[in-house]
Every structure is written in C-alpha cells, then in structure tokens.
Amino acid sequence: MNYDYIPIAALNQYAYCSHRCWRMFCAGEFIDNQYTIEGTTLHDRVHTTSENQREETWQIRAIWLKSEQYKLICKSDLIESADGQFYPVEYKRGRKGEWDNDELQVCAQALCLEEMTGQNITTGYIYYAHSHQRQLVEINQELRKSAIATIQAVTNLLTTGIMPIPNYSKRCQGCSLNLQCLPKAIDRVRTYQEAS
C-alpha cells in the first residue's frame, strides 16, 4: 500500500507490535475481535463532528489533523481549548495499559496541532471509557523523541514493506491477528533443533 501521509493510528499499532502494524498497513489485513468491536463502537460515537462550549473549555470533535513536516494525518477524537491553549484528547475503550503506544498517538496529534496552530502543545489526554477517567499525557522532549523515532520506523516500514518477525509476548493474547501470525509457532520453529 502507498501512503502519502501516515495514519497516526499506525504509530500506535507499530509501538504495540511492529508485525501487527505491517499486517494492517502493508498487507491490508484486519480481523475484528471483542476489543476491536468495542473500540470501533466508541469511535463511531466520538467521531460525530460537533462543536460546543463546556464552561471555560471549547470542544470540537472529529476534525482532521495533518502535519506536512512529519507527513501525518488522522481524524481527531476531541480537541479542546482552554485559556487559548489547544490539546488533543484520544478516546480508548479499555483502561490504561502497561505500554506507551497510546501516549505516542497523543503526542503525534500534538505535533500536528502545533504545526496547524503555531502553538507549543505541552499536554494531551487519554480518556479511558472503561474507567471513565482521563489520563494526563505530558508532551515532553522524551515522548517527542520517541514519537519522531516511531514516525521514522513506520515510514521505513511502509516504504520498504519488509515484514517484521512476530515475537510472542503478553500483548499477543488480546490481538485480533494472533491466529494469522502465530507468534508462538514462529518461536518454536526458530528454536527447533533436529536431534543428532
């Protein structure tokens, strides 16, 4: 597949599992499971374009974010502005996980917002539907470096189309593509030695 702009969701997928990202964005494979259906349902509700004012906070849903510098694009879940300062809010179906892939996604949205507004974006949020709570994401130098490195890795993946080897981890248990990549089988083949 050829991409003029990288979907920001690809950064999240790559940070979660580079092989899953390859299957979704290079091979065009996607299979739903309970988790992906719940996430799609949540985003269907969130991605209804709207604009409103909640006390001192202006909110706009489902607007497109784009960066020419990083060649990124996405439809935002929610952009808020308080005291003239913009920040992204990303919606996720579950609860905070052990990995930083959601934070990278928010940071990439902040990079787009910076380019589009000329503001320095220092914070964002992840709203976890399961707990009904927001988690603050500090858009600091460390997260920015990680996001930019991930953008470069995804650009390379999409340009070359080279499939990363699947590696089994705890993350595989909830993955809808687990049966396609069979990471445990790959590990067994890799470690198999013929008896002499």
Side-chain angles (χ1 to χ4, degrees), residues 122-167:
T122 58
T123 59
Y125 293 90
I126 303 168
Y127 174 80
Y128 289 102
H130 187 271
S131 62
H132 303 290
Q133 292 187 340
R134 282 186 179 194
Q135 173 200 328
L136 173 68
V137 177
E138 292 184 34
I139 313 296
N140 57 32
Q141 281 306 112
E142 184 181 342
L143 184 58
R144 286 172 186 272
K145 285 180 184 174
S146 183
I148 291 167
T150 305
I151 292 166
Q152 292 167 344
V154 171
T155 299
N156 185 56
L157 179 76
L158 298 179
T159 302
T160 65
I162 296 171
M163 181 186 76
I165 302 296
N167 291 309

Short mmCIF file of all heavy atoms in Angstrom, two decimals, residues 122-167:
data_model
loop_
_atom_site.label_atom_id
_atom_site.label_comp_id
_atom_site.label_asym_id
_atom_site.label_seq_id
_atom_site.Cartn_x
_atom_site.Cartn_y
_atom_site.Cartn_z
N THR A 122 1.84 21.29 25.11
CA THR A 122 2.61 20.64 26.19
C THR A 122 1.85 19.52 26.88
O THR A 122 2.44 18.75 27.64
CB THR A 122 3.02 21.67 27.25
OG1 THR A 122 1.83 22.29 27.77
CG2 THR A 122 3.93 22.74 26.66
N THR A 123 0.53 19.44 26.64
CA THR A 123 -0.26 18.39 27.28
C THR A 123 -1.30 17.83 26.32
O THR A 123 -1.70 18.47 25.35
CB THR A 123 -1.01 18.89 28.54
OG1 THR A 123 -1.87 19.96 28.15
CG2 THR A 123 -0.06 19.35 29.61
N GLY A 124 -1.72 16.63 26.64
CA GLY A 124 -2.83 15.97 25.97
C GLY A 124 -3.44 15.03 26.98
O GLY A 124 -2.97 14.93 28.12
N TYR A 125 -4.49 14.33 26.56
CA TYR A 125 -5.17 13.41 27.47
C TYR A 125 -5.58 12.15 26.73
O TYR A 125 -5.82 12.17 25.53
CB TYR A 125 -6.43 14.05 28.08
CG TYR A 125 -6.13 15.20 29.00
CD1 TYR A 125 -6.05 16.50 28.52
CD2 TYR A 125 -5.91 14.98 30.36
CE1 TYR A 125 -5.76 17.56 29.36
CE2 TYR A 125 -5.62 16.04 31.21
CZ TYR A 125 -5.55 17.33 30.70
OH TYR A 125 -5.25 18.36 31.54
N ILE A 126 -5.68 11.07 27.49
CA ILE A 126 -6.31 9.85 27.01
C ILE A 126 -7.51 9.60 27.90
O ILE A 126 -7.37 9.55 29.13
CB ILE A 126 -5.36 8.63 27.07
CG1 ILE A 126 -4.08 8.92 26.27
CG2 ILE A 126 -6.06 7.38 26.55
CD1 ILE A 126 -2.98 7.93 26.50
N TYR A 127 -8.68 9.47 27.29
CA TYR A 127 -9.89 9.16 28.03
C TYR A 127 -10.15 7.67 27.88
O TYR A 127 -10.32 7.16 26.77
CB TYR A 127 -11.08 9.95 27.48
CG TYR A 127 -12.39 9.55 28.14
CD1 TYR A 127 -12.74 10.04 29.38
CD2 TYR A 127 -13.25 8.65 27.51
CE1 TYR A 127 -13.92 9.66 29.99
CE2 TYR A 127 -14.44 8.27 28.11
CZ TYR A 127 -14.77 8.77 29.35
OH TYR A 127 -15.94 8.39 29.94
N TYR A 128 -10.13 6.96 29.01
CA TYR A 128 -10.37 5.51 29.01
C TYR A 128 -11.83 5.26 29.36
O TYR A 128 -12.28 5.57 30.47
CB TYR A 128 -9.43 4.81 29.99
CG TYR A 128 -8.00 4.80 29.49
CD1 TYR A 128 -7.06 5.68 30.00
CD2 TYR A 128 -7.61 3.93 28.48
CE1 TYR A 128 -5.75 5.68 29.52
CE2 TYR A 128 -6.31 3.93 28.00
CZ TYR A 128 -5.39 4.80 28.53
OH TYR A 128 -4.10 4.80 28.04
N ALA A 129 -12.58 4.70 28.39
CA ALA A 129 -14.02 4.52 28.55
C ALA A 129 -14.35 3.57 29.70
O ALA A 129 -15.37 3.73 30.36
CB ALA A 129 -14.64 4.03 27.25
N HIS A 130 -13.51 2.57 29.92
CA HIS A 130 -13.80 1.58 30.96
C HIS A 130 -13.83 2.22 32.35
O HIS A 130 -14.68 1.93 33.17
CB HIS A 130 -12.77 0.45 30.91
CG HIS A 130 -13.09 -0.69 31.82
ND1 HIS A 130 -12.66 -0.75 33.13
CD2 HIS A 130 -13.82 -1.81 31.61
CE1 HIS A 130 -13.10 -1.85 33.69
NE2 HIS A 130 -13.81 -2.52 32.79
N SER A 131 -12.87 3.11 32.60
CA SER A 131 -12.78 3.74 33.92
C SER A 131 -13.44 5.12 33.96
O SER A 131 -13.57 5.71 35.03
CB SER A 131 -11.32 3.87 34.34
OG SER A 131 -10.63 4.71 33.44
N HIS A 132 -13.83 5.64 32.79
CA HIS A 132 -14.43 6.99 32.70
C HIS A 132 -13.49 8.05 33.27
O HIS A 132 -13.93 8.99 33.91
CB HIS A 132 -15.79 7.06 33.40
CG HIS A 132 -16.78 6.07 32.89
ND1 HIS A 132 -17.35 6.16 31.64
CD2 HIS A 132 -17.29 4.96 33.46
CE1 HIS A 132 -18.17 5.14 31.46
NE2 HIS A 132 -18.15 4.40 32.53
N GLN A 133 -12.18 7.86 33.04
CA GLN A 133 -11.21 8.81 33.57
C GLN A 133 -10.23 9.23 32.48
O GLN A 133 -9.94 8.45 31.56
CB GLN A 133 -10.44 8.20 34.74
CG GLN A 133 -11.30 7.98 35.96
CD GLN A 133 -10.47 7.53 37.15
OE1 GLN A 133 -9.36 7.05 37.01
NE2 GLN A 133 -11.02 7.71 38.33
N ARG A 134 -9.75 10.44 32.63
CA ARG A 134 -8.72 10.96 31.75
C ARG A 134 -7.36 10.76 32.38
O ARG A 134 -7.20 10.95 33.57
CB ARG A 134 -8.91 12.46 31.51
CG ARG A 134 -9.98 12.80 30.55
CD ARG A 134 -9.97 14.29 30.29
NE ARG A 134 -11.00 14.62 29.34
CZ ARG A 134 -11.08 15.78 28.71
NH1 ARG A 134 -10.19 16.73 28.96
NH2 ARG A 134 -12.05 16.00 27.86
N GLN A 135 -6.41 10.43 31.53
CA GLN A 135 -5.02 10.35 31.96
C GLN A 135 -4.26 11.48 31.28
O GLN A 135 -4.33 11.65 30.05
CB GLN A 135 -4.41 9.01 31.57
CG GLN A 135 -2.92 8.94 31.83
CD GLN A 135 -2.25 7.84 31.03
OE1 GLN A 135 -2.85 6.81 30.77
NE2 GLN A 135 -1.00 8.06 30.66
N LEU A 136 -3.55 12.27 32.05
CA LEU A 136 -2.74 13.34 31.51
C LEU A 136 -1.54 12.77 30.76
O LEU A 136 -0.90 11.83 31.23
CB LEU A 136 -2.24 14.24 32.66
CG LEU A 136 -1.24 15.33 32.29
CD1 LEU A 136 -1.89 16.40 31.42
CD2 LEU A 136 -0.65 15.94 33.55
N VAL A 137 -1.26 13.32 29.60
CA VAL A 137 -0.07 12.96 28.84
C VAL A 137 0.78 14.22 28.72
O VAL A 137 0.35 15.21 28.13
CB VAL A 137 -0.43 12.43 27.43
CG1 VAL A 137 0.84 12.14 26.64
CG2 VAL A 137 -1.32 11.20 27.53
N GLU A 138 1.97 14.18 29.29
CA GLU A 138 2.89 15.32 29.17
C GLU A 138 3.67 15.17 27.87
O GLU A 138 4.36 14.18 27.67
CB GLU A 138 3.85 15.35 30.36
CG GLU A 138 3.17 15.68 31.67
CD GLU A 138 4.17 15.79 32.81
OE1 GLU A 138 5.31 16.24 32.55
OE2 GLU A 138 3.81 15.42 33.93
N ILE A 139 3.52 16.18 27.01
CA ILE A 139 4.22 16.16 25.73
C ILE A 139 5.62 16.74 25.97
O ILE A 139 5.92 17.88 25.64
CB ILE A 139 3.45 16.97 24.66
CG1 ILE A 139 1.95 16.63 24.66
CG2 ILE A 139 4.06 16.76 23.28
CD1 ILE A 139 1.62 15.21 24.28
N ASN A 140 6.46 15.91 26.56
CA ASN A 140 7.82 16.35 26.90
C ASN A 140 8.82 15.92 25.83
O ASN A 140 8.45 15.25 24.86
CB ASN A 140 8.21 15.82 28.29
CG ASN A 140 8.11 14.31 28.37
OD1 ASN A 140 8.33 13.60 27.39
ND2 ASN A 140 7.76 13.79 29.54
N GLN A 141 10.07 16.30 26.00
CA GLN A 141 11.10 16.00 25.00
C GLN A 141 11.29 14.50 24.80
O GLN A 141 11.49 14.04 23.68
CB GLN A 141 12.43 16.66 25.38
CG GLN A 141 12.48 18.14 25.07
CD GLN A 141 12.14 18.45 23.62
OE1 GLN A 141 11.10 19.04 23.34
NE2 GLN A 141 12.97 18.06 22.69
N GLU A 142 11.24 13.75 25.87
CA GLU A 142 11.43 12.29 25.76
C GLU A 142 10.33 11.66 24.92
O GLU A 142 10.60 10.85 24.03
CB GLU A 142 11.43 11.68 27.17
CG GLU A 142 11.71 10.19 27.18
CD GLU A 142 11.69 9.60 28.59
OE1 GLU A 142 11.80 10.37 29.57
OE2 GLU A 142 11.56 8.38 28.68
N LEU A 143 9.08 12.05 25.17
CA LEU A 143 7.96 11.50 24.40
C LEU A 143 8.04 11.96 22.94
O LEU A 143 7.77 11.20 22.02
CB LEU A 143 6.62 11.90 25.03
CG LEU A 143 5.36 11.32 24.38
CD1 LEU A 143 5.39 9.79 24.36
CD2 LEU A 143 4.11 11.82 25.11
N ARG A 144 8.41 13.22 22.72
CA ARG A 144 8.56 13.74 21.35
C ARG A 144 9.61 12.94 20.58
O ARG A 144 9.39 12.56 19.43
CB ARG A 144 8.97 15.21 21.38
CG ARG A 144 7.86 16.16 21.78
CD ARG A 144 8.40 17.58 21.97
NE ARG A 144 7.38 18.45 22.48
CZ ARG A 144 6.52 19.13 21.73
NH1 ARG A 144 6.60 19.04 20.42
NH2 ARG A 144 5.60 19.90 22.28
N LYS A 145 10.75 12.67 21.21
CA LYS A 145 11.81 11.90 20.56
C LYS A 145 11.32 10.51 20.21
O LYS A 145 11.61 9.98 19.13
CB LYS A 145 13.06 11.82 21.46
CG LYS A 145 13.85 13.10 21.50
CD LYS A 145 15.06 12.95 22.42
CE LYS A 145 15.82 14.25 22.55
NZ LYS A 145 16.90 14.18 23.53
N SER A 146 10.60 9.89 21.14
CA SER A 146 10.07 8.55 20.91
C SER A 146 9.06 8.56 19.77
O SER A 146 9.06 7.67 18.91
CB SER A 146 9.43 8.03 22.20
OG SER A 146 8.96 6.73 22.04
N ALA A 147 8.19 9.59 19.73
CA ALA A 147 7.19 9.69 18.66
C ALA A 147 7.87 9.89 17.30
O ALA A 147 7.50 9.24 16.32
CB ALA A 147 6.22 10.83 18.95
N ILE A 148 8.88 10.75 17.26
CA ILE A 148 9.58 11.02 15.99
C ILE A 148 10.32 9.77 15.52
O ILE A 148 10.32 9.44 14.33
CB ILE A 148 10.51 12.24 16.14
CG1 ILE A 148 9.64 13.50 16.30
CG2 ILE A 148 11.45 12.36 14.94
CD1 ILE A 148 10.40 14.74 16.75
N ALA A 149 10.92 9.03 16.45
CA ALA A 149 11.60 7.77 16.09
C ALA A 149 10.58 6.76 15.56
O ALA A 149 10.86 6.03 14.59
CB ALA A 149 12.34 7.20 17.29
N THR A 150 9.40 6.73 16.15
CA THR A 150 8.35 5.81 15.69
C THR A 150 7.84 6.23 14.32
O THR A 150 7.58 5.37 13.46
CB THR A 150 7.20 5.74 16.72
OG1 THR A 150 7.75 5.39 18.00
CG2 THR A 150 6.17 4.70 16.32
N ILE A 151 7.69 7.53 14.09
CA ILE A 151 7.29 8.02 12.76
C ILE A 151 8.29 7.55 11.72
O ILE A 151 7.92 7.05 10.65
CB ILE A 151 7.19 9.57 12.75
CG1 ILE A 151 6.03 10.05 13.62
CG2 ILE A 151 7.03 10.09 11.31
CD1 ILE A 151 6.05 11.54 13.94
N GLN A 152 9.59 7.66 12.02
CA GLN A 152 10.63 7.23 11.08
C GLN A 152 10.57 5.72 10.84
O GLN A 152 10.72 5.26 9.71
CB GLN A 152 12.01 7.66 11.60
CG GLN A 152 12.19 9.17 11.58
CD GLN A 152 13.41 9.65 12.36
OE1 GLN A 152 13.98 8.92 13.17
NE2 GLN A 152 13.80 10.89 12.10
N ALA A 153 10.32 4.96 11.91
CA ALA A 153 10.24 3.49 11.77
C ALA A 153 9.03 3.09 10.93
O ALA A 153 9.13 2.21 10.07
CB ALA A 153 10.17 2.85 13.16
N VAL A 154 7.90 3.75 11.15
CA VAL A 154 6.69 3.43 10.38
C VAL A 154 6.88 3.86 8.93
O VAL A 154 6.47 3.14 8.00
CB VAL A 154 5.44 4.08 11.01
CG1 VAL A 154 4.22 3.93 10.10
CG2 VAL A 154 5.15 3.46 12.37
N THR A 155 7.50 5.02 8.71
CA THR A 155 7.78 5.46 7.33
C THR A 155 8.62 4.42 6.62
O THR A 155 8.33 4.05 5.47
CB THR A 155 8.52 6.82 7.35
OG1 THR A 155 7.69 7.79 7.99
CG2 THR A 155 8.84 7.28 5.93
N ASN A 156 9.64 3.91 7.28
CA ASN A 156 10.50 2.88 6.71
C ASN A 156 9.71 1.60 6.42
O ASN A 156 9.84 0.99 5.36
CB ASN A 156 11.67 2.58 7.65
CG ASN A 156 12.65 1.61 7.04
OD1 ASN A 156 13.17 1.83 5.96
ND2 ASN A 156 12.92 0.52 7.75
N LEU A 157 8.86 1.20 7.36
CA LEU A 157 8.04 0.00 7.18
C LEU A 157 7.13 0.14 5.97
O LEU A 157 7.04 -0.76 5.13
CB LEU A 157 7.21 -0.25 8.45
CG LEU A 157 6.27 -1.46 8.40
CD1 LEU A 157 7.07 -2.74 8.56
CD2 LEU A 157 5.22 -1.36 9.48
N LEU A 158 6.44 1.29 5.87
CA LEU A 158 5.50 1.49 4.77
C LEU A 158 6.22 1.66 3.43
O LEU A 158 5.68 1.30 2.38
CB LEU A 158 4.62 2.71 5.05
CG LEU A 158 3.72 2.63 6.29
CD1 LEU A 158 2.93 3.92 6.46
CD2 LEU A 158 2.79 1.43 6.22
N THR A 159 7.44 2.19 3.47
CA THR A 159 8.20 2.39 2.23
C THR A 159 8.77 1.08 1.71
O THR A 159 8.69 0.78 0.53
CB THR A 159 9.35 3.41 2.47
OG1 THR A 159 8.78 4.63 2.93
CG2 THR A 159 10.13 3.67 1.20
N THR A 160 9.35 0.30 2.62
CA THR A 160 10.01 -0.95 2.19
C THR A 160 9.04 -2.12 2.11
O THR A 160 9.23 -3.03 1.31
CB THR A 160 11.15 -1.35 3.16
OG1 THR A 160 10.58 -1.66 4.44
CG2 THR A 160 12.18 -0.23 3.29
N GLY A 161 8.02 -2.12 2.97
CA GLY A 161 7.09 -3.25 3.02
C GLY A 161 7.69 -4.50 3.62
O GLY A 161 7.10 -5.58 3.55
N ILE A 162 8.88 -4.40 4.22
CA ILE A 162 9.55 -5.57 4.80
C ILE A 162 8.83 -5.98 6.07
O ILE A 162 8.64 -5.17 6.98
CB ILE A 162 11.04 -5.28 5.07
CG1 ILE A 162 11.77 -5.01 3.76
CG2 ILE A 162 11.69 -6.45 5.82
CD1 ILE A 162 13.19 -4.51 3.93
N MET A 163 8.45 -7.25 6.15
CA MET A 163 7.68 -7.77 7.28
C MET A 163 8.57 -8.00 8.49
O MET A 163 9.51 -8.78 8.43
CB MET A 163 7.00 -9.09 6.90
CG MET A 163 6.16 -9.68 8.02
SD MET A 163 5.50 -11.32 7.61
CE MET A 163 6.97 -12.32 7.80
N PRO A 164 8.25 -7.35 9.62
CA PRO A 164 8.98 -7.66 10.87
C PRO A 164 8.59 -9.06 11.36
O PRO A 164 7.45 -9.49 11.19
CB PRO A 164 8.48 -6.60 11.86
CG PRO A 164 7.83 -5.55 11.03
CD PRO A 164 7.32 -6.24 9.80
N ILE A 165 9.52 -9.76 11.95
CA ILE A 165 9.26 -11.09 12.50
C ILE A 165 8.36 -10.95 13.73
O ILE A 165 8.61 -10.11 14.60
CB ILE A 165 10.58 -11.79 12.91
CG1 ILE A 165 11.52 -11.89 11.70
CG2 ILE A 165 10.32 -13.15 13.53
CD1 ILE A 165 11.01 -12.76 10.59
N PRO A 166 7.30 -11.76 13.82
CA PRO A 166 6.46 -11.69 15.03
C PRO A 166 7.19 -12.26 16.23
O PRO A 166 7.88 -13.28 16.12
CB PRO A 166 5.23 -12.54 14.67
CG PRO A 166 5.67 -13.42 13.56
CD PRO A 166 6.78 -12.72 12.84
N ASN A 167 7.06 -11.59 17.36
CA ASN A 167 7.65 -12.06 18.61
C ASN A 167 6.53 -12.20 19.63
O ASN A 167 5.80 -11.24 19.88
CB ASN A 167 8.70 -11.07 19.14
CG ASN A 167 9.93 -11.05 18.27
OD1 ASN A 167 10.49 -12.10 17.97
ND2 ASN A 167 10.33 -9.89 17.83
#
